[in-house]
Amino acid sequence: MTIHAQQRFDSLIEADERIEPDDWMPEEYRQTLVRQIAQHAHSEIIGMQPEGAWISRAPSLHRKAILIAKVQDEAGHGLYLYGAAESLGTTRAELLDRLHTRRQKYSSIFNYPTPTWADVGAIGWLVDGAAIANQVPLCRCSFGPYGRAMVRICKEESFHQRQGFQILLRLTEGTAEQKQMAQEALNRWWWPSVMMFGPPDSESVHNARNMAWGIKRFTNDELRQGFVDMTVPQAELLGLTIPDPELRWNDERGHYDFGEPDWEEFARMVRGEGDLPEQRLRVRREAHENGAWVREAAAAYAARQRQAA
Amino acid sequence: MNTVADPLLAHVLRHGDRALVLSQRLGQWITHAPELEEDMALANISLDLLGQARHLYTYAGELEGQGHDEDHFAYWRTSTEFLNPLLVEQPNGDFAHTMIRQVLHDHAALLYWQSMTTSRDQTLAALAVRARNETEFHLRHCRGWVVRLGDGTDESHRRAQAGLDALWPYAEELITAPADDAALRSDGLIGDDIADAWRADVAATMAEATLTLPVGVTAQSGGWTGHHSEHLEGLLQELQEVASAFPGAKW
Amino acid sequence: MNADWPRWEVFLRARRGLSHTHVGSVHAADGETALQAGRDLFTRRQEGISLWVVPSEQVVASDPDDQDSLFEPADDKSFRFPTSFELPSEVDQM
């Protein structure tokens, strides 16, 4: 039976068909996906915080409306993804508990501070830009619910990137002070964004297996190169300088060459050291704990209504 | 202190301010809600209210005729120039507190917008149709919560009752029309008085929620004419922080 | 008591003339709040005009292991399809 099931799984993967939740799948495939989808979901909801903090201070009502809609989308993306993860048999409550107790991670990009309004722009343009580069191939992920969630998410994300770019565009068209604010935000977010694609292929442990399983479609370095190639002309359009002295066009390769990110910093961020990661998790945990009596009340009311019916 | 001479302009600003201040309060919930679905819901209500405020401010700019856009009214007025009722500036408190505030507001807002759909003012009548539909959903959501909290567990009941007790002094102001509304009403620019309908609706909601309406409470008022509680100042400081640091800047 | 809200499957009718299609799931204590959550989550961009929510635990699904026995027997009945019938060329519309 298991041999038959394994054969069917292999042939579906071989044929680039989708695996659906009720299908037999290798335990490791299941666990890899639960971990990856959950981490992705956690990143969406933790990612609401650095931008959410600017909703109350957005400098125009138009920007405020856009930002509320964007942060709301992120909650929505979290929900799509938790739904996909739950289809593999782990409840959202359990996944949130793993986040709250640091047994699962979220993207370390959200452990960087957002001191100015321009950071909101940089997150949209660069972080969402990098996220889209990462996510578009995931629309073809071999696990059906994940791919379907990603299709929905990618459709919504392109507005996120554009609004970020537009925030910076307005700043670079503005006063010298505004322009400087934009440049400083780019300086802060460039390298973290480049590192969002994960460690270099030479050090990435699961690349090969995840590619074979159709969970990953391009390697970290391929995606990173694509992001740099896409972003450099946009920075030029903004009249901003990417903080990498080694950045230049390579005619031979048909790509931009760029410098080596600080992978030690990356490792520190992934470990979640420092006050900001602690704060992010605290906000999350407090929201969950302070909401317990509310969830209980709704459950109690629903139970009584069912009994009365 | 209200120094707006034109009654219609003052009226439009009052409701624009009401919507903006409440939107700002609800926006503070985002990432702190009891469940992710509720983050979505509160963001949705906040966004709708913000949209209403923007429409009203834009119209206020037209009525005023001094070339002011929506942002002028949000970012470049002081707390004494804001004309929102006191209820909406009250702090969020816990989730029960926020839902009580919202349901008291939404009952009034729904009746208000319904009455405004027949305004002789074409701009306001058109906005009212949209705002009424939005508010109908807000009320459905928040009324549902008040009933579930009031009639949920002992703890949720206690918290909902505490919210109602704390906010009730600010409730009556919602339906107490400022003096200069009278002329607008006789001109057919604003709709019928909503006070009696509001009292009946609120009483029905609280009864279903097994909550007790406080009695013998001294009603607080002054918001409609720019006399605010201390809470508005802080809210506006945050709202205006970035814009006021860059006078004349475009965003 | 267990305060974790149950899961609901959400179905959306995109516009009149189309049937409801599964779009995802939400968690909610009861049907009414599940509808509201489904509305907030799946219709932010005018994606639909009607919603169904169904408790996930109520869905009865076929077993993937039964795929062969349930669905393959249909594959040798090509006569169910009109294209498998050859008609005289004189017959224009049928």
Side-chain angles (χ1 to χ4, degrees), chain C:
Chain C
M1 73 172 292
N2 181 11
D4 293 335
W5 296 341
R7 193 174 143 144
W8 303 71
E9 300 304 321
V10 182
F11 300 78
L12 182 65
R13 185 199 294 287
R15 56 172 194 275
R16 292 186 177 280
L18 298 180
S19 48
H20 288 77
T21 306
H22 183 244
V23 286
S25 61
V26 295
H27 283 263
D30 52 45
E32 164 63 16
T33 48
L35 266 184
Q36 292 179 17
R39 178 263 194 190
D40 284 341
L41 183 58
F42 294 107
T43 67
R44 297 198 298 293
R45 291 173 173 81
Q46 300 178 291
E47 290 93 335
I49 56 154
S50 167
L51 277 173
W52 289 346
V53 291
V54 178
S56 303
E57 59 178 23
Q58 297 285 330
V59 174
V60 181
S62 65
D63 187 332
D65 281 341
D66 295 341
Q67 187 179 327
D68 295 353
S69 61
L70 286 177
F71 307 114
E72 268 183 21
D75 83 345
D76 69 343
K77 297 180 181 65
S78 59
F79 46 79
R80 286 192 193 275
F81 296 93
T83 46
S84 67
F85 296 87
E86 222 169 278
L87 294 175
S89 57
E90 288 81 1
V91 179
D92 206 19
Q93 300 271 333
M94 188 182 284

Side-chain angles (χ1 to χ4, degrees), chain A residues 6-80:
Chain A
Q6 173 84 52
Q7 275 169 352
R8 181 194 282 167
F9 174 85
D10 290 344
S11 64
L12 285 171
I13 292 286
E14 177 78 17
D16 204 14
E17 288 264 14
R18 298 294 175 264
I19 305 299
E20 294 296 343
D22 293 339
D23 286 327
W24 181 90
M25 60 189 87
E27 197 48 30
E28 223 183 325
Y29 176 87
R30 181 185 299 274
Q31 292 313 324
T32 299
L33 277 164
V34 169
R35 195 168 51 243
Q36 181 173 336
I37 301 172
Q39 178 170 333
H40 197 159
H42 300 332
S43 302
E44 292 283 357
I45 65 163
I46 294 287
M48 293 166 69
Q49 290 184 32
E51 290 172 292
W54 282 94
I55 287 175
S56 61
R57 292 174 289 169
S60 77
L61 297 183
H62 182 54
R63 290 286 160 216
K64 189 192 285 287
I66 292 169
L67 192 55
I68 293 173
K70 179 181 190 243
V71 175
Q72 189 195 32
D73 273 352
E74 279 153 11
H77 297 176
L79 288 173
Y80 300 155

Side-chain angles (χ1 to χ4, degrees), chain B residues 109 123 137-138 141 155 183 185 246:
Chain B
T123 306
F137 184 78
H138 303 168
H141 183 78
E155 179 176 12
R185 183 160 292 130
F246 298 86

Side-chain angles (χ1 to χ4, degrees), chain A residues 36-219:
Chain A
Q36 181 173 336
I37 301 172
Q39 178 170 333
H40 197 159
H42 300 332
S43 302
E44 292 283 357
I45 65 163
I46 294 287
M48 293 166 69
Q49 290 184 32
E51 290 172 292
W54 282 94
I55 287 175
S56 61
R57 292 174 289 169
S60 77
L61 297 183
H62 182 54
R63 290 286 160 216
K64 189 192 285 287
I66 292 169
L67 192 55
I68 293 173
K70 179 181 190 243
V71 175
Q72 189 195 32
D73 273 352
E74 279 153 11
H77 297 176
L79 288 173
Y80 300 155
L81 288 162
Y82 284 122
E86 285 193 300
S87 72
L88 288 162
T90 313
T91 65
R92 191 207 297 179
E94 166 62 21
L95 295 173
L96 284 173
D97 190 56
R98 290 182 194 171
L99 169 67
H100 298 158
T101 54
R102 287 179 175 260
R103 284 177 293 147
Q104 278 178 341
K105 292 182 191 302
Y106 57 87
S107 170
S108 55
I109 193 77
F110 300 115
N111 288 338
Y112 291 89
T114 46
T116 72
W117 172 249
D119 292 278
V120 178
I123 288 182
W125 174 41
L126 296 173
V127 174
D128 291 325
I132 291 170
N134 246 327
Q135 289 167 357
V136 168
L138 287 173
C139 296
R140 294 188 293 123
C141 172
S142 61
F143 183 58
Y146 193 25
R148 292 192 286 275
M150 292 317 306
V151 168
R152 202 175 278 278
I153 289 171
C154 285
K155 261 193 227 162
E156 299 180 355
E157 284 276 353
S158 66
F159 131 63
H160 296 182
Q161 192 187 11
R162 287 179 187 199
Q163 66 86 35
F165 185 79
Q166 202 188 49
I167 287 174
L168 293 177
L169 192 60
R170 289 284 172 279
L171 292 176
T172 56
E173 292 166 348
T175 63
E177 212 180 348
Q178 281 179 299
K179 184 161 185 180
Q180 189 190 342
M181 197 198 278
Q183 179 63 53
E184 285 170 1
L186 172 56
N187 295 348
R188 276 192 287 278
W189 289 94
W190 174 254
W191 287 112
S193 304
V194 169
M195 290 191 279
M196 270 178 75
F197 298 92
D201 293 348
S202 53
E203 288 163 41
S204 182
V205 273
H206 297 307
N207 250 339
R209 193 198 58 190
N210 289 351
M211 302 255 305
W213 271 342
I215 295 176
K216 219 171 148 61
R217 298 288 183 174
F218 297 98
T219 72

Side-chain angles (χ1 to χ4, degrees), chain A residues 56 58 63-64 92 295 304, chain B residues 34 37 75 151 238 251:
Chain A
S56 61
R63 290 286 160 216
K64 189 192 285 287
R92 191 207 297 179
R295 296 189 299 274
R304 271 207 309 283
Chain B
E37 277 84 353
Y75 291 94
D151 195 15
E238 197 180 3
W251 303 99

